[in-house]
Amino acid sequence: MSDQRFLGEFELMILLAIIRLENATYGVPMARELSEVRDRNVSLGSVYAALDRLEIKGFVKSTLGESTPERGGRAKRYFSVTPGGIRALHETRHVLSGLWKSLPPIKGGLA
């Protein structure tokens, strides 16, 4: 069973994207940000699936905005990182940094 204090790669990227976008953001800007940073398409469905997992874990919280005519009367769901999400970011960074520092020299690096 996985330890819920640590984040998977995509969850980590989602939390960092929310913070980069200054919290209270929704799925479309997050998918756009991640697509740009990763230099490959990130589907909106994968973003929302990760956001749902992160919300269940208590690492993000969501609020509904006002409904808008351009969205057919539907409201946008805005996400922000919780204090638990910030702790998970720090713990994940600590673990990853420790792993990187403990590696022997890697041969056959990138050209």
Side-chain angles (χ1 to χ4, degrees):
M1 176 160 226
S2 68
D3 189 334
Q4 288 199 2
R5 294 178 304 154
F6 302 108
L7 300 164
E9 176 189 5
F10 197 65
E11 292 174 335
L12 176 63
M13 286 190 268
I14 291 284
L15 289 181
L16 293 173
I18 293 171
I19 292 169
R20 279 178 58 129
L21 294 167
E22 299 182 3
N23 278 318
T25 189
Y26 59 102
V28 172
M30 279 185 260
R32 199 175 303 129
E33 175 81 6
L34 290 173
S35 293
E36 193 174 298
V37 170
R38 295 179 77 190
D39 198 26
R40 69 179 205 206
N41 189 43
V42 173
S43 77
L44 197 53
S46 65
V47 169
Y48 278 110
L51 286 166
D52 287 342
R53 286 192 310 273
L54 289 165
E55 192 163 30
I56 289 167
K57 292 178 179 182
F59 295 159
V60 299
K61 66 178 180 177
S62 66
T63 55
L64 286 178
E66 297 294 319
S67 59
T68 59
E70 57 270 2
R71 293 179 45 84
R74 293 176 301 147
K76 289 180 183 172
R77 194 167 149 210
Y78 292 92
F79 293 87
S80 56
V81 180
T82 65
I86 297 295
R87 278 190 302 279
L89 279 169
H90 285 294
E91 288 183 38
T92 301
R93 180 181 179 189
H94 177 76
V95 168
L96 290 174
S97 293
L99 286 169
W100 275 107
K101 288 176 186 174
S102 69
L103 287 177
I106 300 173
K107 297 179 182 179
L110 298 175

